[in-house]
Coordinates of all heavy atoms in Angstrom, one line a residue:
M1 N -24.6 -69.4 -5.3 CA -24.2 -68.8 -6.6 C -24.3 -67.3 -6.5 O -25.2 -66.7 -5.9 CB -25.1 -69.2 -7.7 CG -25.1 -70.7 -8.0 SD -23.6 -71.2 -8.8 CE -24.2 -72.7 -9.5
V2 N -23.3 -66.6 -7.2 CA -23.3 -65.2 -7.3 C -23.4 -64.8 -8.7 O -22.7 -65.2 -9.6 CB -22.0 -64.6 -6.7 CG1 -21.9 -63.1 -6.9 CG2 -21.9 -65.0 -5.2
K3 N -24.4 -63.8 -9.0 CA -24.5 -63.3 -10.3 C -23.8 -61.9 -10.3 O -24.1 -61.1 -9.4 CB -26.0 -63.0 -10.7 CG -26.8 -64.3 -10.8 CD -26.4 -65.1 -12.1 CE -27.4 -66.2 -12.3 NZ -27.1 -66.9 -13.5
H4 N -22.9 -61.7 -11.3 CA -22.1 -60.5 -11.4 C -22.6 -59.9 -12.7 O -22.3 -60.3 -13.8 CB -20.7 -60.9 -11.5 CG -19.7 -59.8 -11.7 ND1 -19.5 -58.8 -10.9 CD2 -18.8 -59.6 -12.8 CE1 -18.6 -58.0 -11.3 NE2 -18.1 -58.4 -12.5
V5 N -23.4 -58.9 -12.6 CA -24.1 -58.2 -13.7 C -23.4 -56.9 -14.1 O -23.2 -56.1 -13.2 CB -25.6 -57.9 -13.4 CG1 -26.3 -57.2 -14.6 CG2 -26.3 -59.1 -12.9
V6 N -22.9 -56.8 -15.3 CA -22.1 -55.6 -15.7 C -22.7 -55.0 -16.9 O -22.9 -55.7 -18.0 CB -20.6 -56.1 -16.0 CG1 -19.8 -54.8 -16.4 CG2 -20.0 -56.7 -14.8
L7 N -23.1 -53.8 -16.8 CA -23.8 -53.0 -17.9 C -22.8 -52.0 -18.4 O -22.1 -51.3 -17.6 CB -25.0 -52.4 -17.5 CG -26.1 -53.3 -16.9 CD1 -27.3 -52.5 -16.4 CD2 -26.5 -54.4 -17.8
L8 N -22.7 -51.9 -19.8 CA -21.7 -51.0 -20.4 C -22.4 -49.9 -21.2 O -23.2 -50.2 -22.0 CB -20.8 -51.7 -21.3 CG -20.0 -52.9 -20.7 CD1 -19.1 -53.6 -21.7 CD2 -19.2 -52.5 -19.5
K9 N -22.0 -48.7 -20.9 CA -22.4 -47.5 -21.8 C -21.3 -47.4 -22.8 O -20.1 -47.0 -22.4 CB -22.5 -46.3 -20.9 CG -23.2 -45.1 -21.7 CD -23.4 -43.9 -20.7 CE -24.5 -44.2 -19.8 NZ -24.9 -43.0 -19.0
L10 N -21.5 -47.8 -24.0 CA -20.5 -47.8 -25.0 C -20.2 -46.5 -25.7 O -21.0 -45.6 -25.8 CB -20.9 -48.8 -26.2 CG -21.3 -50.2 -25.8 CD1 -21.8 -51.0 -26.9 CD2 -20.1 -50.9 -25.1
R11 N -18.9 -46.3 -26.1 CA -18.5 -45.1 -26.8 C -19.1 -45.2 -28.2 O -19.5 -46.2 -28.7 CB -17.0 -45.1 -26.9 CG -16.2 -45.0 -25.6 CD -14.7 -44.9 -25.9 NE -14.0 -45.0 -24.7 CZ -13.7 -44.0 -23.9 NH1 -14.0 -42.8 -24.2 NH2 -13.0 -44.2 -22.8
D12 N -19.2 -44.0 -28.8 CA -19.7 -44.0 -30.2 C -18.9 -44.8 -31.1 O -17.6 -44.8 -31.0 CB -19.8 -42.6 -30.7 CG -20.9 -41.7 -30.1 OD1 -21.8 -42.3 -29.6 OD2 -20.7 -40.5 -30.1
G13 N -19.5 -45.6 -32.0 CA -18.7 -46.3 -33.0 C -18.3 -47.7 -32.6 O -17.6 -48.3 -33.4
V14 N -18.6 -48.2 -31.5 CA -18.2 -49.5 -31.0 C -18.9 -50.5 -31.9 O -20.0 -50.4 -32.2 CB -18.5 -49.7 -29.6 CG1 -18.3 -51.2 -29.2 CG2 -17.7 -48.8 -28.7
T15 N -18.1 -51.5 -32.4 CA -18.6 -52.5 -33.3 C -18.9 -53.8 -32.6 O -18.5 -54.0 -31.5 CB -17.5 -52.8 -34.4 OG1 -16.4 -53.5 -33.7 CG2 -17.1 -51.6 -35.1
S16 N -19.7 -54.6 -33.3 CA -20.0 -55.9 -32.7 C -18.7 -56.8 -32.5 O -18.6 -57.6 -31.6 CB -21.0 -56.7 -33.5 OG -20.6 -56.9 -34.8
D17 N -17.7 -56.6 -33.4 CA -16.4 -57.3 -33.2 C -15.8 -56.9 -31.9 O -15.2 -57.8 -31.2 CB -15.5 -57.0 -34.4 CG -15.9 -57.6 -35.7 OD1 -16.7 -58.6 -35.7 OD2 -15.3 -57.2 -36.7
Q18 N -15.9 -55.7 -31.5 CA -15.3 -55.3 -30.2 C -16.1 -55.9 -29.0 O -15.5 -56.3 -28.0 CB -15.3 -53.7 -30.1 CG -14.3 -53.1 -31.0 CD -14.5 -51.6 -31.1 OE1 -15.4 -51.1 -31.5 NE2 -13.4 -50.9 -30.6
T19 N -17.4 -55.9 -29.1 CA -18.1 -56.5 -27.9 C -18.0 -58.0 -28.0 O -17.9 -58.6 -26.9 CB -19.7 -56.1 -28.0 OG1 -20.2 -56.4 -29.2 CG2 -19.8 -54.6 -27.7
D20 N -17.8 -58.6 -29.1 CA -17.6 -60.1 -29.2 C -16.2 -60.4 -28.6 O -16.1 -61.4 -27.9 CB -17.5 -60.5 -30.7 CG -18.9 -60.6 -31.3 OD1 -19.9 -60.4 -30.6 OD2 -18.9 -60.7 -32.6
A21 N -15.2 -59.5 -28.7 CA -13.9 -59.7 -28.1 C -14.0 -59.7 -26.6 O -13.3 -60.4 -25.9 CB -13.0 -58.6 -28.6
V22 N -14.9 -58.8 -26.0 CA -15.1 -58.8 -24.6 C -15.6 -60.1 -24.1 O -15.1 -60.8 -23.2 CB -16.1 -57.7 -24.2 CG1 -16.5 -57.8 -22.7 CG2 -15.5 -56.3 -24.5
L23 N -16.7 -60.6 -24.8 CA -17.3 -61.9 -24.4 C -16.2 -63.0 -24.6 O -16.1 -63.8 -23.6 CB -18.5 -62.2 -25.2 CG -19.2 -63.6 -25.0 CD1 -19.6 -63.7 -23.5 CD2 -20.4 -63.7 -25.9
K24 N -15.5 -63.0 -25.6 CA -14.5 -64.1 -25.8 C -13.4 -64.1 -24.7 O -13.0 -65.1 -24.2 CB -13.9 -63.9 -27.2 CG -12.9 -65.0 -27.6 CD -12.5 -64.9 -29.0 CE -11.6 -66.1 -29.4 NZ -11.1 -66.0 -30.8
G25 N -13.0 -62.9 -24.4 CA -12.0 -62.7 -23.3 C -12.5 -63.2 -22.0 O -11.8 -63.9 -21.2
L26 N -13.8 -62.9 -21.6 CA -14.4 -63.3 -20.4 C -14.6 -64.8 -20.4 O -14.3 -65.5 -19.4 CB -15.7 -62.6 -20.2 CG -15.6 -61.1 -19.9 CD1 -17.0 -60.5 -19.9 CD2 -14.9 -60.8 -18.6
E27 N -15.0 -65.4 -21.5 CA -15.2 -66.8 -21.6 C -13.9 -67.5 -21.5 O -13.8 -68.6 -20.9 CB -15.8 -67.2 -23.0 CG -17.3 -66.8 -23.0 CD -17.9 -67.1 -24.5 OE1 -17.1 -67.1 -25.4 OE2 -19.1 -67.2 -24.5
G28 N -12.8 -66.9 -21.9 CA -11.5 -67.5 -21.8 C -11.0 -67.6 -20.3 O -10.2 -68.5 -20.0
L29 N -11.6 -66.8 -19.5 CA -11.3 -66.9 -18.0 C -11.9 -68.2 -17.3 O -11.3 -68.6 -16.3 CB -11.8 -65.6 -17.3 CG -11.2 -64.3 -17.8 CD1 -11.8 -63.2 -17.0 CD2 -9.6 -64.3 -17.5
M30 N -12.9 -68.7 -18.0 CA -13.5 -69.9 -17.4 C -12.5 -71.0 -17.2 O -12.6 -71.8 -16.3 CB -14.7 -70.3 -18.2 CG -15.9 -69.4 -18.1 SD -17.3 -69.9 -19.0 CE -17.9 -71.3 -18.0
G31 N -11.6 -71.2 -18.1 CA -10.6 -72.2 -18.1 C -9.4 -71.9 -17.2 O -8.7 -72.8 -16.8
K32 N -9.3 -70.7 -16.8 CA -8.2 -70.2 -16.0 C -8.5 -70.1 -14.5 O -7.6 -70.2 -13.7 CB -7.6 -68.9 -16.6 CG -7.1 -69.1 -18.0 CD -6.6 -67.7 -18.4 CE -6.0 -67.8 -19.8 NZ -5.5 -66.6 -20.4
L33 N -9.7 -69.7 -14.2 CA -10.1 -69.3 -12.8 C -11.2 -70.3 -12.4 O -12.2 -70.4 -13.0 CB -10.6 -67.9 -12.8 CG -9.6 -66.8 -13.1 CD1 -10.3 -65.5 -13.2 CD2 -8.4 -66.8 -12.2
E34 N -11.0 -70.9 -11.2 CA -12.0 -71.8 -10.7 C -13.2 -70.9 -10.2 O -13.0 -69.8 -9.7 CB -11.4 -72.5 -9.5 CG -10.5 -73.7 -9.9 CD -10.1 -74.5 -8.7 OE1 -11.0 -74.8 -7.9 OE2 -8.9 -75.0 -8.7
G35 N -14.4 -71.5 -10.3 CA -15.5 -70.9 -9.7 C -16.4 -70.1 -10.7 O -17.5 -69.7 -10.3
I36 N -16.0 -69.9 -12.0 CA -16.8 -69.3 -12.9 C -17.6 -70.4 -13.6 O -17.1 -71.3 -14.2 CB -16.0 -68.6 -14.0 CG1 -15.1 -67.5 -13.4 CG2 -16.9 -67.9 -15.0 CD1 -14.1 -66.9 -14.4
V37 N -18.9 -70.2 -13.4 CA -19.9 -71.2 -13.9 C -20.4 -71.0 -15.3 O -20.5 -71.9 -16.1 CB -21.1 -71.4 -12.9 CG1 -22.1 -72.3 -13.4 CG2 -20.6 -71.7 -11.5
E38 N -20.6 -69.7 -15.5 CA -21.2 -69.3 -16.8 C -21.0 -67.8 -17.1 O -20.8 -67.0 -16.2 CB -22.7 -69.5 -16.8 CG -23.5 -69.2 -18.1 CD -25.0 -69.4 -17.9 OE1 -25.6 -69.1 -16.9 OE2 -25.6 -69.9 -18.9
V39 N -20.8 -67.5 -18.4 CA -20.7 -66.2 -18.9 C -21.7 -66.0 -20.1 O -21.6 -66.8 -21.0 CB -19.3 -65.8 -19.4 CG1 -19.2 -64.4 -19.9 CG2 -18.2 -66.1 -18.3
T40 N -22.5 -65.0 -20.0 CA -23.4 -64.7 -21.1 C -23.4 -63.2 -21.3 O -23.0 -62.4 -20.4 CB -24.9 -65.1 -20.7 OG1 -25.3 -64.4 -19.6 CG2 -25.0 -66.6 -20.5
A41 N -23.7 -62.7 -22.5 CA -23.7 -61.3 -22.9 C -24.6 -61.0 -24.0 O -25.1 -61.9 -24.7 CB -22.2 -61.0 -23.3
G42 N -24.9 -59.7 -24.1 CA -25.8 -59.3 -25.2 C -26.1 -57.8 -25.2 O -25.8 -57.1 -24.2
R43 N -26.7 -57.4 -26.3 CA -27.1 -56.0 -26.5 C -28.5 -55.9 -25.9 O -29.3 -56.7 -26.0 CB -27.1 -55.7 -27.9 CG -27.4 -54.2 -28.3 CD -27.0 -53.9 -29.7 NE -25.6 -53.9 -30.0 CZ -24.7 -53.0 -29.7 NH1 -25.1 -51.9 -29.1 NH2 -23.4 -53.1 -30.0
N44 N -28.7 -54.7 -25.2 CA -30.0 -54.4 -24.6 C -31.1 -54.4 -25.7 O -30.9 -53.8 -26.8 CB -30.0 -53.0 -24.0 CG -31.3 -52.7 -23.4 OD1 -31.9 -53.5 -22.7 ND2 -31.7 -51.4 -23.6
N45 N -32.2 -55.1 -25.5 CA -33.3 -55.0 -26.4 C -34.6 -54.8 -25.7 O -35.7 -55.0 -26.2 CB -33.4 -56.3 -27.2 CG -33.7 -57.6 -26.4 OD1 -34.0 -57.4 -25.2 ND2 -33.7 -58.7 -27.0
S46 N -34.5 -54.1 -24.5 CA -35.7 -53.8 -23.7 C -36.5 -52.7 -24.4 O -36.0 -51.7 -24.8 CB -35.4 -53.4 -22.3 OG -36.6 -52.9 -21.7
P47 N -37.9 -52.9 -24.5 CA -38.7 -51.9 -25.1 C -39.1 -50.8 -24.1 O -39.8 -49.8 -24.5 CB -39.9 -52.6 -25.6 CG -40.1 -53.8 -24.6 CD -38.6 -54.1 -24.3
E48 N -38.6 -50.9 -22.8 CA -39.1 -50.0 -21.8 C -38.5 -48.6 -21.9 O -39.0 -47.7 -21.3 CB -38.9 -50.6 -20.4 CG -39.7 -51.8 -20.2 CD -39.5 -52.3 -18.8 OE1 -38.4 -53.0 -18.6 OE2 -40.3 -52.1 -17.9
G49 N -37.3 -48.5 -22.6 CA -36.7 -47.2 -22.6 C -36.1 -46.7 -21.4 O -35.9 -45.5 -21.1
K50 N -35.6 -47.6 -20.5 CA -35.1 -47.2 -19.2 C -33.6 -47.6 -19.0 O -33.1 -47.7 -17.9 CB -35.9 -47.9 -18.1 CG -37.3 -47.4 -18.1 CD -38.1 -48.1 -17.0 CE -39.6 -47.5 -17.0 NZ -40.4 -48.1 -15.9
S51 N -32.9 -47.8 -20.1 CA -31.5 -48.3 -20.1 C -30.5 -47.3 -19.7 O -29.4 -47.6 -19.4 CB -31.1 -49.0 -21.4 OG -31.1 -48.0 -22.4
K52 N -30.9 -46.0 -19.8 CA -30.1 -44.9 -19.4 C -28.7 -44.9 -20.2 O -27.7 -44.5 -19.7 CB -29.8 -44.8 -18.0 CG -31.1 -44.6 -17.2 CD -30.8 -44.3 -15.7 CE -32.1 -44.2 -14.9 NZ -32.9 -43.0 -15.1
G53 N -28.8 -45.4 -21.4 CA -27.6 -45.4 -22.3 C -26.7 -46.7 -22.2 O -25.7 -46.8 -22.9
Y54 N -27.1 -47.6 -21.3 CA -26.3 -48.8 -21.1 C -26.8 -49.8 -22.2 O -27.9 -50.4 -22.1 CB -26.4 -49.4 -19.7 CG -25.7 -48.5 -18.7 CD1 -26.4 -47.4 -18.1 CD2 -24.4 -48.7 -18.4 CE1 -25.7 -46.6 -17.2 CE2 -23.7 -47.9 -17.5 CZ -24.4 -46.8 -16.9 OH -23.8 -46.0 -16.0
E55 N -26.0 -50.0 -23.2 CA -26.4 -50.7 -24.4 C -26.0 -52.1 -24.5 O -26.6 -52.9 -25.2 CB -25.8 -50.0 -25.7 CG -26.0 -48.5 -25.8 CD -25.0 -48.0 -26.8 OE1 -24.9 -48.6 -28.0 OE2 -24.4 -46.9 -26.6
W56 N -25.0 -52.5 -23.7 CA -24.5 -53.9 -23.8 C -24.1 -54.4 -22.4 O -23.7 -53.5 -21.6 CB -23.3 -53.9 -24.8 CG -22.9 -55.3 -25.2 CD1 -23.4 -56.0 -26.3 CD2 -21.9 -56.1 -24.7 NE1 -22.8 -57.2 -26.4 CE2 -21.8 -57.3 -25.4 CE3 -21.0 -56.0 -23.6 CZ2 -20.9 -58.3 -25.1 CZ3 -20.1 -57.0 -23.3 CH2 -20.0 -58.1 -24.0
G57 N -24.2 -55.6 -22.2 CA -23.8 -56.1 -20.8 C -23.5 -57.6 -20.8 O -23.7 -58.3 -21.8
F58 N -23.0 -58.0 -19.7 CA -22.7 -59.4 -19.5 C -23.1 -59.8 -18.1 O -23.1 -59.0 -17.1 CB -21.3 -59.8 -19.9 CG -20.2 -59.1 -19.1 CD1 -19.7 -59.6 -17.9 CD2 -19.7 -57.9 -19.5 CE1 -18.7 -59.0 -17.2 CE2 -18.6 -57.2 -18.8 CZ -18.2 -57.8 -17.7
V59 N -23.3 -61.1 -17.9 CA -23.6 -61.7 -16.6 C -22.7 -62.9 -16.4 O -22.6 -63.7 -17.3 CB -25.1 -62.1 -16.5 CG1 -25.3 -62.8 -15.1 CG2 -26.0 -61.0 -16.7
M60 N -21.9 -62.8 -15.3 CA -21.1 -64.0 -14.9 C -21.7 -64.6 -13.7 O -22.1 -63.9 -12.8 CB -19.6 -63.5 -14.7 CG -19.0 -62.8 -15.9 SD -17.3 -62.3 -15.6 CE -16.5 -63.9 -15.6
T61 N -21.7 -65.9 -13.7 CA -22.2 -66.7 -12.6 C -21.0 -67.3 -11.9 O -20.2 -68.0 -12.6 CB -23.2 -67.7 -13.0 OG1 -24.3 -67.1 -13.7 CG2 -23.8 -68.5 -11.8
F62 N -20.9 -67.1 -10.6 CA -19.8 -67.7 -9.8 C -20.3 -68.6 -8.8 O -21.5 -68.4 -8.4 CB -19.0 -66.6 -9.1 CG -18.2 -65.6 -10.0 CD1 -18.8 -64.5 -10.5 CD2 -16.9 -65.9 -10.3 CE1 -18.1 -63.6 -11.3 CE2 -16.2 -65.1 -11.2 CZ -16.9 -63.9 -11.7
T63 N -19.6 -69.6 -8.4 CA -20.0 -70.6 -7.4 C -20.3 -69.9 -6.1 O -21.2 -70.3 -5.4 CB -19.0 -71.7 -7.2 OG1 -17.7 -71.1 -6.9 CG2 -18.9 -72.6 -8.4
D64 N -19.5 -68.9 -5.7 CA -19.8 -68.2 -4.5 C -19.0 -66.9 -4.5 O -18.4 -66.5 -5.4 CB -19.3 -69.1 -3.3 CG -17.8 -69.6 -3.5 OD1 -17.0 -68.9 -4.1 OD2 -17.5 -70.7 -2.9
E65 N -19.2 -66.1 -3.4 CA -18.5 -64.9 -3.3 C -17.0 -64.9 -3.3 O -16.3 -64.1 -3.8 CB -19.0 -64.1 -2.0 CG -20.4 -63.7 -2.1 CD -20.9 -63.0 -0.9 OE1 -20.1 -62.5 -0.1 OE2 -22.2 -62.9 -0.7
A66 N -16.4 -66.0 -2.7 CA -15.0 -66.2 -2.8 C -14.4 -66.3 -4.2 O -13.4 -65.7 -4.5 CB -14.6 -67.4 -1.9
A67 N -15.2 -67.0 -5.0 CA -14.7 -67.2 -6.4 C -14.8 -65.8 -7.1 O -13.9 -65.4 -7.9 CB -15.6 -68.2 -7.2
R68 N -15.9 -65.1 -6.9 CA -16.0 -63.7 -7.4 C -14.9 -62.8 -6.9 O -14.3 -62.0 -7.7 CB -17.4 -63.1 -7.1 CG -17.8 -61.8 -7.8 CD -17.7 -60.6 -6.9 NE -17.8 -60.7 -5.5 CZ -18.8 -60.5 -4.7 NH1 -20.0 -60.1 -5.3 NH2 -18.8 -60.6 -3.4
D69 N -14.6 -62.9 -5.6 CA -13.6 -62.0 -5.1 C -12.2 -62.4 -5.5 O -11.3 -61.5 -5.6 CB -13.7 -62.1 -3.6 CG -15.0 -61.5 -3.0 OD1 -15.7 -60.8 -3.8 OD2 -15.3 -61.7 -1.8
T70 N -12.0 -63.6 -5.9 CA -10.7 -64.0 -6.5 C -10.6 -63.5 -7.9 O -9.5 -63.0 -8.3 CB -10.5 -65.6 -6.5 OG1 -10.6 -66.0 -5.1 CG2 -9.3 -66.0 -7.2
Y71 N -11.7 -63.5 -8.7 CA -11.7 -63.1 -10.1 C -11.4 -61.6 -10.2 O -10.7 -61.2 -11.1 CB -13.1 -63.4 -10.6 CG -13.6 -62.5 -11.7 CD1 -13.2 -62.8 -13.1 CD2 -14.5 -61.5 -11.5 CE1 -13.7 -62.0 -14.1 CE2 -14.9 -60.7 -12.5 CZ -14.5 -60.9 -13.8 OH -15.0 -60.1 -14.8
L72 N -12.0 -60.7 -9.3 CA -11.9 -59.3 -9.5 C -10.5 -58.8 -9.6 O -10.2 -58.0 -10.5 CB -12.7 -58.6 -8.3 CG -14.2 -58.8 -8.4 CD1 -14.9 -58.2 -7.1 CD2 -14.8 -58.2 -9.6
P73 N -9.6 -59.1 -8.7 CA -8.2 -58.5 -8.9 C -7.3 -59.4 -9.7 O -6.1 -59.0 -9.8 CB -7.7 -58.4 -7.4 CG -8.4 -59.6 -6.7 CD -9.7 -59.7 -7.4
H74 N -7.8 -60.5 -10.1 CA -6.9 -61.5 -10.8 C -6.3 -60.8 -12.1 O -7.0 -60.1 -12.8 CB -7.7 -62.7 -11.2 CG -6.8 -63.9 -11.6 ND1 -6.2 -64.0 -12.9 CD2 -6.4 -64.9 -10.9 CE1 -5.5 -65.0 -12.9 NE2 -5.6 -65.7 -11.8
P75 N -5.0 -61.0 -12.3 CA -4.3 -60.4 -13.4 C -4.9 -60.7 -14.8 O -4.9 -59.9 -15.7 CB -2.9 -61.0 -13.3 CG -2.7 -61.4 -11.9 CD -4.0 -61.8 -11.4
D76 N -5.5 -61.9 -14.9 CA -6.1 -62.3 -16.2 C -7.4 -61.5 -16.4 O -7.7 -61.0 -17.6 CB -6.3 -63.8 -16.3 CG -5.1 -64.5 -16.5 OD1 -4.1 -64.0 -16.9 OD2 -5.1 -65.7 -16.1
H77 N -8.1 -61.3 -15.4 CA -9.4 -60.4 -15.5 C -9.0 -59.0 -15.7 O -9.6 -58.3 -16.6 CB -10.2 -60.5 -14.2 CG -11.2 -59.4 -14.1 ND1 -11.2 -58.5 -13.1 CD2 -12.2 -59.1 -14.9 CE1 -12.2 -57.7 -13.3 NE2 -12.9 -58.0 -14.3
V78 N -8.0 -58.5 -15.0 CA -7.5 -57.1 -15.2 C -7.1 -56.9 -16.6 O -7.3 -55.9 -17.2 CB -6.4 -56.8 -14.2 CG1 -5.7 -55.5 -14.5 CG2 -6.9 -56.8 -12.8
A79 N -6.4 -57.9 -17.2 CA -5.9 -57.8 -18.6 C -7.1 -57.7 -19.6 O -7.1 -56.9 -20.5 CB -5.0 -59.0 -18.9
V80 N -8.1 -58.6 -19.4 CA -9.3 -58.6 -20.3 C -9.9 -57.2 -20.2 O -10.3 -56.6 -21.2 CB -10.2 -59.7 -19.9 CG1 -11.6 -59.5 -20.6 CG2 -9.6 -61.1 -20.3
S81 N -10.1 -56.7 -19.0 CA -10.7 -55.4 -18.8 C -9.9 -54.3 -19.5 O -10.5 -53.5 -20.2 CB -10.8 -55.1 -17.3 OG -11.5 -53.9 -17.1
A82 N -8.6 -54.3 -19.3 CA -7.8 -53.2 -19.9 C -7.7 -53.3 -21.4 O -7.7 -52.3 -22.1 CB -6.4 -53.3 -19.3
E83 N -7.7 -54.5 -21.9 CA -7.6 -54.7 -23.4 C -8.9 -54.6 -24.1 O -8.9 -54.1 -25.3 CB -6.9 -56.0 -23.7 CG -5.5 -56.2 -23.2 CD -4.9 -57.6 -23.1 OE1 -5.6 -58.5 -23.7 OE2 -3.9 -57.8 -22.5
T84 N -10.0 -55.0 -23.6 CA -11.2 -55.1 -24.4 C -12.4 -54.3 -23.8 O -13.2 -53.9 -24.6 CB -11.7 -56.6 -24.5 OG1 -12.1 -57.1 -23.2 CG2 -10.7 -57.5 -25.1
I85 N -12.4 -54.0 -22.5 CA -13.6 -53.3 -22.0 C -13.3 -51.8 -21.9 O -14.0 -51.0 -22.5 CB -14.0 -53.9 -20.6 CG1 -14.4 -55.4 -20.8 CG2 -15.1 -53.0 -20.0 CD1 -14.7 -56.1 -19.5
R86 N -12.3 -51.4 -21.2 CA -12.0 -50.0 -21.0 C -11.9 -49.2 -22.3 O -12.4 -48.1 -22.3 CB -10.8 -49.8 -20.1 CG -11.0 -50.1 -18.7 CD -9.9 -49.6 -17.8 NE -9.8 -50.5 -16.7 CZ -8.6 -51.0 -16.3 NH1 -7.5 -50.6 -16.8 NH2 -8.6 -51.9 -15.3
P87 N -11.3 -49.7 -23.3 CA -11.2 -48.9 -24.6 C -12.6 -48.6 -25.2 O -12.6 -47.7 -26.1 CB -10.4 -49.8 -25.5 CG -9.6 -50.7 -24.6 CD -10.5 -50.9 -23.4
I88 N -13.6 -49.3 -24.9 CA -14.9 -49.2 -25.6 C -16.0 -48.5 -24.8 O -17.1 -48.4 -25.3 CB -15.4 -50.5 -26.3 CG1 -15.8 -51.5 -25.2 CG2 -14.3 -51.1 -27.2 CD1 -16.5 -52.7 -25.8
V89 N -15.8 -48.3 -23.5 CA -16.8 -47.8 -22.7 C -16.7 -46.4 -22.2 O -15.6 -45.9 -22.0 CB -17.0 -48.7 -21.4 CG1 -17.4 -50.1 -21.8 CG2 -15.9 -48.7 -20.5
E90 N -17.8 -45.7 -22.0 CA -17.9 -44.4 -21.3 C -18.1 -44.6 -19.8 O -17.7 -43.8 -19.1 CB -19.0 -43.6 -21.9 CG -18.8 -43.1 -23.3 CD -19.9 -42.2 -23.8 OE1 -20.7 -41.7 -23.0 OE2 -19.9 -42.0 -25.0
D91 N -18.9 -45.7 -19.5 CA -19.3 -45.9 -18.1 C -19.6 -47.4 -17.9 O -20.0 -48.0 -18.9 CB -20.5 -45.0 -17.7 CG -20.6 -44.8 -16.2 OD1 -19.7 -45.2 -15.5 OD2 -21.7 -44.3 -15.8
V92 N -19.5 -47.8 -16.7 CA -19.8 -49.2 -16.4 C -20.7 -49.2 -15.1 O -20.4 -48.4 -14.2 CB -18.5 -50.0 -16.1 CG1 -18.8 -51.4 -15.7 CG2 -17.6 -50.0 -17.3
L93 N -21.6 -50.1 -15.1 CA -22.5 -50.2 -13.9 C -22.4 -51.7 -13.5 O -22.6 -52.6 -14.4 CB -24.0 -49.9 -14.2 CG -25.0 -50.1 -13.2 CD1 -24.7 -49.2 -11.9 CD2 -26.4 -49.9 -13.7
V94 N -22.1 -52.0 -12.2 CA -21.9 -53.3 -11.7 C -23.0 -53.6 -10.6 O -23.1 -52.8 -9.8 CB -20.5 -53.6 -11.2 CG1 -20.4 -55.0 -10.7 CG2 -19.5 -53.4 -12.3
F95 N -23.6 -54.7 -10.7 CA -24.6 -55.1 -9.7 C -24.4 -56.6 -9.4 O -24.6 -57.4 -10.4 CB -26.0 -54.8 -10.2 CG -27.1 -55.1 -9.2 CD1 -27.5 -54.0 -8.3 CD2 -27.7 -56.3 -9.1 CE1 -28.5 -54.3 -7.4 CE2 -28.8 -56.5 -8.2 CZ -29.1 -55.5 -7.3
D96 N -24.1 -57.0 -8.2 CA -23.9 -58.4 -7.9 C -25.0 -58.8 -6.9 O -25.4 -58.0 -6.1 CB -22.5 -58.6 -7.2 CG -21.4 -58.4 -8.2 OD1 -21.6 -58.2 -9.4 OD2 -20.2 -58.5 -7.7
Y97 N -25.4 -60.0 -7.0 CA -26.4 -60.6 -6.0 C -26.2 -62.1 -5.8 O -25.7 -62.7 -6.7 CB -27.8 -60.2 -6.4 CG -28.3 -60.8 -7.7 CD1 -29.0 -62.1 -7.6 CD2 -28.1 -60.2 -8.9 CE1 -29.4 -62.6 -8.8 CE2 -28.6 -60.8 -10.0 CZ -29.3 -62.0 -10.0 OH -29.7 -62.6 -11.2
N98 N -26.6 -62.6 -4.7 CA -26.6 -64.0 -4.4 C -27.9 -64.6 -4.9 O -29.0 -64.1 -4.7 CB -26.4 -64.3 -3.0 CG -25.0 -63.8 -2.5 OD1 -24.1 -63.9 -3.1 ND2 -25.0 -63.3 -1.2
E99 N -27.7 -65.8 -5.5 CA -28.9 -66.5 -6.1 C -29.3 -67.5 -5.1 O -28.5 -68.1 -4.4 CB -28.4 -67.2 -7.4 CG -29.5 -67.4 -8.3 CD -29.0 -67.9 -9.6 OE1 -28.1 -68.6 -9.7 OE2 -29.6 -67.5 -10.7

């Protein structure tokens, strides 16, 4: 299994409707692309104060690296990113690891 962790530094004024649209778009990929096992998302609630401005994120679980590698350039993923993620972020941090 591969965990694809994506943290977003949101632009000012981003609403929960906008972050909900990101999650909904990513969840919609589960039916279109093989190898996506799970998609979860949420707002940072850590009390440690070490988020460096990354307020919201999501984790996608893939069956393997091949499934993740197919997802990354896939036109449906590119569309979700262009339509829902890029308009609301200042910066993105991605960290993948094998489970």
Side-chain angles (χ1 to χ4, degrees):
M1 297 284 202
V2 174
K3 294 288 189 178
H4 178 64
V5 181
V6 180
L7 304 178
L8 306 179
K9 191 176 287 188
L10 302 175
R11 296 180 191 274
D12 288 338
V14 171
T15 67
S16 60
D17 286 344
Q18 289 172 293
T19 54
D20 289 348
V22 172
L23 178 57
K24 187 174 183 176
L26 294 170
E27 288 173 335
L29 297 176
M30 290 182 71
K32 296 179 180 179
L33 299 172
E34 285 189 37
I36 301 173
V37 176
E38 181 180 40
V39 180
T40 61
R43 187 165 292 279
N44 178 45
N45 66 7
S46 173
E48 293 182 285
K50 297 180 180 183
S51 67
K52 300 190 185 279
Y54 291 89
E55 307 167 45
W56 193 85
F58 60 90
V59 178
M60 298 182 74
T61 304
F62 294 91
T63 53
D64 53 28
E65 290 179 20
R68 188 254 340 256
D69 294 349
T70 297
Y71 153 84
L72 291 173
H74 193 280
D76 290 337
H77 165 242
V78 172
V80 168
S81 180
E83 294 167 12
T84 66
I85 299 174
R86 283 193 215 134
I88 68 169
V89 300
E90 288 183 19
D91 199 11
V92 178
L93 176 65
V94 178
F95 185 89
D96 293 354
Y97 65 92
N98 292 325
E99 207 173 33

